[in-house]
Coordinates of all heavy atoms in Angstrom, one line a residue:
M1 N 42.2 68.4 -68.2 CA 41.2 68.7 -67.2 C 41.8 69.7 -66.2 O 42.9 69.6 -65.8 CB 40.8 67.5 -66.5 CG 39.6 67.6 -65.6 SD 39.0 66.0 -65.0 CE 39.2 66.2 -63.3
S2 N 41.1 70.7 -65.9 CA 41.6 71.7 -64.9 C 41.0 71.5 -63.6 O 40.2 70.7 -63.3 CB 41.1 73.1 -65.4 OG 39.7 73.2 -65.2
N3 N 41.6 72.2 -62.6 CA 41.1 72.1 -61.2 C 39.8 72.7 -61.1 O 39.5 73.7 -61.7 CB 42.0 72.8 -60.3 CG 43.3 72.2 -60.1 OD1 43.5 71.0 -60.3 ND2 44.4 72.9 -59.8
A4 N 38.8 72.0 -60.5 CA 37.6 72.7 -60.2 C 37.8 73.6 -59.0 O 38.6 73.3 -58.2 CB 36.5 71.6 -59.9
D5 N 37.0 74.7 -59.0 CA 37.3 75.8 -58.0 C 37.2 75.3 -56.6 O 37.9 75.8 -55.7 CB 36.3 76.9 -58.3 CG 36.5 77.6 -59.5 OD1 37.6 77.5 -60.1 OD2 35.6 78.4 -59.9
T6 N 36.3 74.3 -56.4 CA 36.2 73.9 -55.0 C 36.8 72.5 -54.7 O 36.7 72.0 -53.6 CB 34.7 73.8 -54.6 OG1 34.0 72.9 -55.5 CG2 34.0 75.1 -54.7
D7 N 37.5 71.9 -55.7 CA 38.2 70.7 -55.4 C 39.6 71.0 -54.8 O 40.1 72.1 -54.9 CB 38.4 69.9 -56.7 CG 37.2 69.3 -57.2 OD1 36.2 69.2 -56.5 OD2 37.1 69.0 -58.4
T8 N 40.2 70.0 -54.2 CA 41.4 70.3 -53.4 C 42.7 69.8 -54.0 O 43.7 70.0 -53.4 CB 41.2 69.7 -52.0 OG1 41.1 68.2 -52.1 CG2 40.0 70.3 -51.2
G9 N 42.6 69.1 -55.1 CA 43.8 68.5 -55.7 C 44.1 67.1 -55.3 O 45.1 66.5 -55.7
M10 N 43.2 66.5 -54.6 CA 43.3 65.1 -54.2 C 42.2 64.4 -54.9 O 41.2 64.9 -55.3 CB 43.1 64.9 -52.7 CG 44.1 65.7 -51.8 SD 45.7 64.8 -51.8 CE 45.3 63.4 -50.8
P11 N 42.4 63.1 -55.3 CA 41.3 62.3 -55.9 C 40.2 62.2 -55.0 O 40.3 62.1 -53.8 CB 42.0 61.0 -56.2 CG 43.1 60.8 -55.2 CD 43.6 62.2 -55.0
I12 N 39.0 62.1 -55.6 CA 37.8 61.8 -54.9 C 37.4 60.3 -55.0 O 37.3 59.9 -56.2 CB 36.6 62.7 -55.4 CG1 36.9 64.1 -55.3 CG2 35.3 62.3 -54.8 CD1 35.9 65.1 -56.0
R13 N 37.2 59.6 -54.0 CA 36.8 58.3 -54.1 C 35.3 58.2 -54.0 O 34.7 58.7 -53.0 CB 37.4 57.4 -52.9 CG 37.0 56.0 -53.0 CD 37.7 55.2 -51.9 NE 37.2 55.5 -50.6 CZ 37.7 55.1 -49.4 NH1 38.8 54.3 -49.4 NH2 37.2 55.5 -48.3
L14 N 34.7 57.5 -55.0 CA 33.3 57.4 -55.0 C 32.9 55.9 -55.4 O 33.7 55.2 -56.1 CB 32.6 58.3 -56.1 CG 32.7 59.7 -55.9 CD1 32.2 60.5 -57.1 CD2 31.9 60.2 -54.6
T15 N 31.8 55.4 -54.9 CA 31.3 54.2 -55.4 C 30.0 54.5 -56.2 O 29.1 55.1 -55.6 CB 30.9 53.2 -54.2 OG1 32.1 52.9 -53.5 CG2 30.4 51.9 -54.8
L16 N 30.0 54.2 -57.5 CA 28.9 54.6 -58.4 C 28.3 53.3 -59.0 O 28.9 52.4 -59.3 CB 29.5 55.5 -59.5 CG 30.2 56.8 -59.0 CD1 30.9 57.4 -60.3 CD2 29.2 57.7 -58.4
D17 N 27.0 53.5 -59.2 CA 26.3 52.5 -59.9 C 26.6 52.6 -61.4 O 27.1 53.5 -61.9 CB 24.8 52.7 -59.8 CG 24.3 52.4 -58.3 OD1 24.9 51.5 -57.7 OD2 23.4 53.1 -57.9
A18 N 26.2 51.5 -62.1 CA 26.4 51.5 -63.6 C 25.6 52.6 -64.1 O 24.6 53.0 -63.7 CB 26.0 50.2 -64.2
G19 N 26.2 53.3 -65.2 CA 25.5 54.5 -65.8 C 26.5 55.4 -66.4 O 27.7 55.1 -66.5
I20 N 25.9 56.5 -67.0 CA 26.7 57.5 -67.7 C 26.8 58.7 -66.7 O 25.7 59.1 -66.2 CB 26.1 57.9 -69.0 CG1 26.1 56.7 -70.0 CG2 26.7 59.1 -69.6 CD1 25.3 56.9 -71.2
Y21 N 28.0 59.3 -66.6 CA 28.2 60.4 -65.7 C 29.0 61.5 -66.4 O 29.6 61.2 -67.4 CB 29.1 59.9 -64.5 CG 28.4 58.9 -63.6 CD1 28.5 57.6 -63.9 CD2 27.6 59.3 -62.5 CE1 27.8 56.6 -63.1 CE2 26.9 58.4 -61.8 CZ 27.1 57.0 -62.1 OH 26.4 56.0 -61.3
Y22 N 28.8 62.7 -65.9 CA 29.5 63.9 -66.5 C 30.3 64.6 -65.4 O 29.7 65.1 -64.5 CB 28.5 64.8 -67.1 CG 27.9 64.2 -68.4 CD1 26.8 63.5 -68.3 CD2 28.5 64.4 -69.6 CE1 26.2 62.9 -69.4 CE2 27.9 63.8 -70.7 CZ 26.7 63.1 -70.7 OH 26.2 62.5 -71.8
R23 N 31.6 64.5 -65.5 CA 32.4 65.1 -64.4 C 32.6 66.6 -64.7 O 33.0 67.0 -65.8 CB 33.8 64.4 -64.5 CG 34.9 65.1 -63.7 CD 34.7 65.0 -62.2 NE 35.9 65.3 -61.5 CZ 36.1 66.4 -60.7 NH1 35.2 67.3 -60.7 NH2 37.2 66.5 -60.0
C24 N 32.2 67.4 -63.8 CA 32.4 68.8 -63.9 C 33.8 69.2 -64.1 O 34.7 68.8 -63.3 CB 31.7 69.6 -62.8 SG 32.0 71.4 -62.8
C25 N 34.2 70.1 -65.0 CA 35.5 70.6 -65.2 C 35.6 72.1 -65.0 O 36.7 72.7 -65.2 CB 36.0 70.2 -66.6 SG 36.2 68.4 -66.8
C26 N 34.5 72.8 -65.0 CA 34.5 74.2 -64.8 C 34.4 74.7 -63.4 O 34.7 75.9 -63.2 CB 33.3 74.8 -65.6 SG 31.7 74.6 -64.8
G27 N 34.0 73.9 -62.4 CA 34.0 74.3 -61.1 C 32.7 75.0 -60.7 O 32.6 75.5 -59.5
K28 N 31.8 75.2 -61.6 CA 30.6 76.0 -61.3 C 29.4 75.3 -60.8 O 28.5 75.8 -60.3 CB 30.2 76.8 -62.6 CG 31.2 77.9 -63.0 CD 30.7 78.6 -64.3 CE 31.8 79.5 -64.7 NZ 31.4 80.1 -66.1
S29 N 29.6 73.9 -60.9 CA 28.4 73.0 -60.6 C 28.2 73.1 -59.0 O 29.1 73.2 -58.2 CB 28.8 71.6 -61.0 OG 27.8 70.7 -60.4
V30 N 26.9 73.0 -58.7 CA 26.6 73.0 -57.3 C 26.4 71.5 -56.8 O 26.1 71.2 -55.7 CB 25.3 73.8 -56.9 CG1 25.5 75.3 -57.1 CG2 24.1 73.2 -57.6
N31 N 26.7 70.6 -57.8 CA 26.6 69.2 -57.6 C 28.0 68.5 -57.8 O 28.0 67.4 -58.4 CB 25.5 68.5 -58.5 CG 25.2 67.2 -58.1 OD1 25.2 66.8 -56.9 ND2 24.9 66.4 -59.1
L32 N 29.1 69.2 -57.4 CA 30.4 68.6 -57.7 C 30.5 67.3 -57.0 O 30.0 67.1 -56.0 CB 31.5 69.6 -57.1 CG 31.7 70.8 -57.9 CD1 32.6 71.8 -57.2 CD2 32.2 70.6 -59.3
P33 N 31.2 66.3 -57.6 CA 32.1 66.5 -58.8 C 31.3 66.3 -60.1 O 32.0 66.3 -61.1 CB 33.0 65.3 -58.6 CG 32.3 64.2 -58.0 CD 31.3 65.0 -57.1
F34 N 30.0 66.3 -60.1 CA 29.3 66.2 -61.3 C 28.8 67.4 -61.9 O 28.5 68.4 -61.2 CB 28.1 65.1 -61.1 CG 28.6 63.9 -60.6 CD1 28.4 63.5 -59.3 CD2 29.3 63.0 -61.4 CE1 28.8 62.3 -58.8 CE2 29.8 61.7 -60.9 CZ 29.5 61.4 -59.6
C35 N 28.7 67.5 -63.3 CA 28.1 68.7 -64.0 C 26.7 68.8 -63.7 O 25.9 67.8 -63.7 CB 28.4 68.4 -65.5 SG 27.7 69.6 -66.6
D36 N 26.2 70.0 -63.6 CA 24.8 70.3 -63.4 C 24.3 71.3 -64.5 O 23.2 71.9 -64.4 CB 24.5 70.9 -62.0 CG 25.1 72.4 -61.8 OD1 25.8 72.8 -62.7 OD2 24.8 72.9 -60.8
G37 N 25.2 71.5 -65.6 CA 24.8 72.4 -66.6 C 25.2 73.8 -66.5 O 25.0 74.6 -67.4
A38 N 25.8 74.2 -65.4 CA 26.3 75.6 -65.1 C 27.3 76.1 -66.1 O 27.5 77.3 -66.3 CB 26.7 75.7 -63.7
H39 N 28.0 75.1 -66.7 CA 29.1 75.5 -67.6 C 28.5 76.2 -68.9 O 29.3 76.8 -69.7 CB 29.9 74.3 -68.1 CG 29.0 73.3 -68.8 ND1 28.3 72.3 -68.3 CD2 28.7 73.3 -70.2 CE1 27.7 71.6 -69.2 NE2 27.8 72.2 -70.3
Q40 N 27.2 76.2 -69.1 CA 26.6 76.7 -70.3 C 26.8 78.2 -70.4 O 26.6 78.8 -71.5 CB 25.2 76.3 -70.4 CG 25.0 74.8 -70.6 CD 23.6 74.4 -70.7 OE1 22.7 75.2 -70.5 NE2 23.4 73.1 -70.9
S41 N 27.2 78.9 -69.3 CA 27.4 80.3 -69.4 C 28.9 80.6 -69.8 O 29.4 81.7 -69.8 CB 27.2 80.9 -68.0 OG 28.0 80.3 -67.0
G42 N 29.6 79.5 -70.2 CA 31.0 79.7 -70.6 C 31.9 78.8 -69.8 O 31.6 78.2 -68.9
G43 N 33.1 78.7 -70.3 CA 34.1 77.8 -69.6 C 34.2 76.5 -70.2 O 33.8 76.2 -71.3
Q44 N 34.7 75.5 -69.4 CA 35.0 74.2 -69.9 C 33.8 73.3 -69.9 O 32.9 73.4 -69.1 CB 36.1 73.6 -69.0 CG 37.4 74.4 -69.2 CD 38.5 73.7 -68.4 OE1 38.5 73.8 -67.1 NE2 39.4 73.0 -69.1
L45 N 33.9 72.3 -70.8 CA 32.8 71.3 -70.9 C 33.1 70.1 -70.0 O 34.3 69.8 -69.6 CB 32.7 70.8 -72.3 CG 32.4 71.8 -73.3 CD1 32.5 71.2 -74.8 CD2 31.0 72.5 -73.1
P46 N 32.1 69.4 -69.6 CA 32.3 68.2 -68.7 C 32.9 67.1 -69.5 O 32.9 67.0 -70.7 CB 30.8 67.9 -68.3 CG 30.0 68.4 -69.4 CD 30.7 69.6 -69.9
I47 N 33.4 66.2 -68.7 CA 34.0 64.9 -69.2 C 32.9 63.8 -69.0 O 32.6 63.5 -67.9 CB 35.3 64.5 -68.6 CG1 36.3 65.6 -68.9 CG2 35.8 63.1 -69.0 CD1 37.7 65.4 -68.1
R48 N 32.5 63.2 -70.1 CA 31.6 62.0 -70.0 C 32.3 60.8 -69.7 O 33.3 60.5 -70.3 CB 30.8 61.9 -71.3 CG 29.8 60.8 -71.4 CD 29.3 60.7 -72.8 NE 28.3 59.7 -73.0 CZ 28.5 58.4 -73.1 NH1 29.6 57.9 -73.0 NH2 27.4 57.6 -73.2
F49 N 31.8 60.0 -68.8 CA 32.3 58.7 -68.6 C 31.2 57.7 -68.2 O 30.1 58.0 -67.7 CB 33.4 58.6 -67.5 CG 33.0 59.0 -66.1 CD1 32.8 58.0 -65.2 CD2 32.8 60.3 -65.7 CE1 32.5 58.3 -63.8 CE2 32.4 60.6 -64.4 CZ 32.3 59.6 -63.5
E50 N 31.5 56.4 -68.6 CA 30.4 55.4 -68.4 C 31.0 54.2 -67.6 O 32.1 53.8 -67.8 CB 30.0 54.9 -69.8 CG 28.9 53.9 -69.7 CD 28.3 53.6 -71.0 OE1 28.8 54.0 -72.1 OE2 27.3 52.8 -71.1
L51 N 30.2 53.7 -66.7 CA 30.5 52.6 -65.9 C 29.6 51.4 -66.3 O 28.4 51.6 -66.3 CB 30.4 52.9 -64.4 CG 31.3 54.0 -63.9 CD1 31.0 54.2 -62.4 CD2 32.8 53.6 -64.1
K52 N 30.1 50.3 -66.5 CA 29.3 49.1 -66.9 C 28.7 48.4 -65.8 O 27.8 47.6 -65.9 CB 30.2 48.2 -67.8 CG 30.7 48.8 -69.1 CD 29.6 49.1 -70.1 CE 30.2 49.6 -71.3 NZ 29.1 50.1 -72.3
E53 N 29.3 48.6 -64.6 CA 28.9 48.0 -63.4 C 29.1 48.9 -62.2 O 30.0 49.8 -62.3 CB 29.5 46.6 -63.2 CG 31.0 46.7 -63.1 CD 31.7 45.3 -63.1 OE1 31.1 44.4 -63.7 OE2 32.8 45.2 -62.6
R54 N 28.5 48.6 -61.1 CA 28.8 49.4 -59.8 C 30.2 49.1 -59.5 O 30.7 48.0 -59.4 CB 27.9 48.9 -58.7 CG 28.0 49.6 -57.4 CD 27.1 49.1 -56.4 NE 27.2 49.6 -55.0 CZ 26.8 50.8 -54.7 NH1 26.1 51.6 -55.4 NH2 27.1 51.2 -53.4
Q55 N 30.9 50.2 -59.2 CA 32.3 50.1 -58.8 C 32.8 51.4 -58.1 O 32.2 52.4 -58.2 CB 33.2 49.8 -60.0 CG 33.2 50.9 -61.1 CD 34.0 50.6 -62.3 OE1 33.5 50.1 -63.2 NE2 35.3 50.8 -62.3
Q56 N 34.0 51.2 -57.4 CA 34.6 52.3 -56.8 C 35.6 52.9 -57.8 O 36.3 52.3 -58.5 CB 35.4 51.8 -55.6 CG 36.2 52.9 -54.8 CD 36.8 52.3 -53.6 OE1 36.2 52.1 -52.6 NE2 38.1 52.0 -53.7
V57 N 35.5 54.2 -57.8 CA 36.4 55.0 -58.7 C 37.1 56.2 -58.0 O 36.6 56.6 -56.9 CB 35.6 55.6 -59.9 CG1 35.0 54.6 -60.8 CG2 34.6 56.6 -59.5
Y58 N 38.2 56.6 -58.5 CA 38.9 57.7 -58.0 C 39.0 58.8 -59.1 O 39.6 58.6 -60.1 CB 40.3 57.4 -57.6 CG 40.4 56.5 -56.4 CD1 40.3 55.1 -56.5 CD2 40.5 57.1 -55.1 CE1 40.3 54.3 -55.3 CE2 40.5 56.2 -54.0 CZ 40.5 54.9 -54.1 OH 40.5 54.0 -53.0
L59 N 38.2 59.9 -58.9 CA 38.2 61.0 -59.9 C 39.3 62.0 -59.6 O 39.5 62.4 -58.4 CB 36.9 61.7 -59.8 CG 35.6 60.8 -60.1 CD1 34.3 61.7 -60.1 CD2 35.7 60.1 -61.5
C60 N 40.0 62.4 -60.6 CA 41.1 63.3 -60.5 C 40.5 64.7 -60.2 O 39.5 65.1 -60.8 CB 41.9 63.4 -61.8 SG 43.1 64.7 -61.9
C61 N 41.3 65.4 -59.3 CA 40.9 66.8 -59.0 C 42.1 67.7 -59.1 O 42.0 68.9 -58.8 CB 40.4 66.9 -57.6 SG 38.8 66.1 -57.3
C62 N 43.3 67.1 -59.5 CA 44.5 68.0 -59.6 C 44.8 68.5 -61.0 O 45.5 69.4 -61.2 CB 45.6 67.2 -59.1 SG 46.3 65.9 -60.2
G63 N 44.2 67.9 -62.0 CA 44.3 68.4 -63.3 C 45.5 67.7 -64.0 O 45.9 68.1 -65.2
K64 N 46.3 66.8 -63.3 CA 47.5 66.3 -63.9 C 47.3 65.0 -64.6 O 48.3 64.5 -65.3 CB 48.6 66.1 -62.8 CG 49.1 67.5 -62.2 CD 50.0 67.1 -61.1 CE 50.4 68.4 -60.3 NZ 51.2 68.1 -59.1
T65 N 46.2 64.3 -64.4 CA 46.0 63.0 -65.0 C 46.0 63.0 -66.5 O 45.6 63.9 -67.1 CB 44.7 62.4 -64.4 OG1 44.6 61.0 -64.9 CG2 43.5 63.1 -65.0
T66 N 46.5 61.8 -67.1 CA 46.3 61.6 -68.5 C 45.2 60.6 -68.7 O 45.0 60.2 -69.9 CB 47.7 61.0 -69.0 OG1 47.9 59.8 -68.4 CG2 48.8 62.0 -68.8
K67 N 44.4 60.3 -67.7 CA 43.3 59.3 -67.9 C 42.0 59.9 -67.3 O 41.3 59.3 -66.7 CB 43.7 58.0 -67.1 CG 44.9 57.3 -67.7 CD 45.2 56.0 -66.9 CE 46.4 55.3 -67.6 NZ 46.8 54.2 -66.8
A68 N 41.8 61.2 -67.6 CA 40.6 61.9 -67.1 C 39.3 61.2 -67.5 O 39.3 60.6 -68.6 CB 40.6 63.3 -67.7
P69 N 38.4 61.1 -66.6 CA 38.3 61.8 -65.3 C 39.0 61.1 -64.2 O 38.8 61.5 -63.0 CB 36.8 61.9 -65.1 CG 36.3 60.6 -65.6 CD 37.2 60.3 -66.9
Y70 N 39.7 60.0 -64.5 CA 40.2 59.2 -63.4 C 41.6 59.6 -62.9 O 42.4 60.1 -63.8 CB 40.3 57.7 -63.8 CG 38.9 57.2 -64.2 CD1 38.7 56.9 -65.5 CD2 37.9 57.0 -63.4 CE1 37.5 56.4 -66.0 CE2 36.7 56.6 -63.7 CZ 36.5 56.2 -65.1 OH 35.2 55.8 -65.5
C71 N 41.9 59.5 -61.6 CA 43.2 59.7 -61.1 C 44.2 58.7 -61.6 O 43.8 57.5 -61.6 CB 43.1 59.7 -59.6 SG 44.7 59.8 -58.8
D72 N 45.3 59.1 -62.1 CA 46.4 58.1 -62.6 C 47.6 58.1 -61.7 O 48.6 57.7 -62.1 CB 46.7 58.4 -64.1 CG 47.5 59.7 -64.3 OD1 47.7 60.5 -63.3 OD2 48.0 59.9 -65.4
E73 N 47.5 58.8 -60.5 CA 48.5 58.9 -59.5 C 49.5 59.9 -59.9 O 50.5 60.0 -59.1 CB 49.1 57.5 -59.3 CG 48.1 56.4 -58.9 CD 48.7 55.1 -58.5 OE1 49.8 54.8 -58.9 OE2 48.0 54.3 -57.8
S74 N 49.3 60.7 -60.9 CA 50.2 61.9 -61.1 C 50.3 62.8 -59.9 O 51.2 63.6 -59.7 CB 49.8 62.6 -62.4 OG 49.9 61.8 -63.5
C75 N 49.2 62.8 -59.1 CA 49.1 63.7 -58.0 C 50.0 63.2 -56.8 O 50.2 64.0 -55.9 CB 47.6 63.8 -57.5 SG 47.0 62.1 -57.0
G76 N 50.5 62.0 -56.9 CA 51.3 61.4 -55.9 C 50.5 60.5 -54.9 O 51.1 59.9 -54.0
V77 N 49.2 60.5 -55.0 CA 48.4 59.6 -54.2 C 48.3 58.3 -54.9 O 47.9 58.2 -56.1 CB 46.9 60.1 -54.0 CG1 46.1 59.2 -53.2 CG2 47.0 61.5 -53.3
L78 N 48.8 57.2 -54.2 CA 48.9 55.9 -54.8 C 47.5 55.2 -54.6 O 47.4 54.3 -53.7 CB 50.0 55.1 -54.3 CG 51.4 55.7 -54.5 CD1 52.5 54.9 -53.9 CD2 51.7 56.0 -56.0
V79 N 46.5 55.5 -55.4 CA 45.2 55.0 -55.2 C 45.2 53.4 -55.4 O 44.4 52.7 -54.9 CB 44.2 55.6 -56.2 CG1 44.0 57.1 -55.8 CG2 44.6 55.4 -57.6
S80 N 46.1 52.9 -56.2 CA 46.2 51.5 -56.4 C 46.6 50.8 -55.1 O 46.5 49.6 -55.0 CB 47.2 51.2 -57.5 OG 48.5 51.7 -57.2
K81 N 47.2 51.5 -54.2 CA 47.6 50.9 -52.9 C 46.6 51.1 -51.8 O 46.8 50.7 -50.7 CB 48.9 51.6 -52.4 CG 50.0 51.5 -53.5 CD 50.9 50.3 -53.3 CE 52.1 50.4 -54.2 NZ 52.5 49.0 -54.7
L82 N 45.5 51.9 -52.1 CA 44.6 52.2 -51.0 C 43.6 51.0 -50.8 O 43.4 50.2 -51.6 CB 43.7 53.4 -51.4 CG 44.6 54.7 -51.5 CD1 43.6 55.9 -52.0 CD2 45.2 55.1 -50.2
Ligands
FES101 S1 28.8 72.5 -64.6 FE1 30.9 72.3 -64.7 S2 31.3 71.3 -66.6 FE2 29.2 71.5 -66.4
FES102 S1 44.1 63.6 -58.3 FE1 44.8 64.1 -60.3 S2 46.1 62.4 -60.8 FE2 45.4 62.0 -58.8

């Protein structure tokens, strides 16, 4: 996953309802961190993820994670300690 143009390299903490989501990876969305279809003019595709229940998540914005779209603390932010 690459850095989105307007992301800062820190994880984004969100509380989301159960459902299917698409994390923008191209940086063109006007609805970051979610895809709005703007990637269709080229570039990277979104990452689909599904939540079975309402929960707090940390989305990666640095591009270093191995568990995209989630932060795995490769950025140095210990989300497990927050
Ligand atoms: S708008 Fe960025 S991946 Fe879809
Ligand atoms: S923001 Fe990318 S690993 Fe934490």
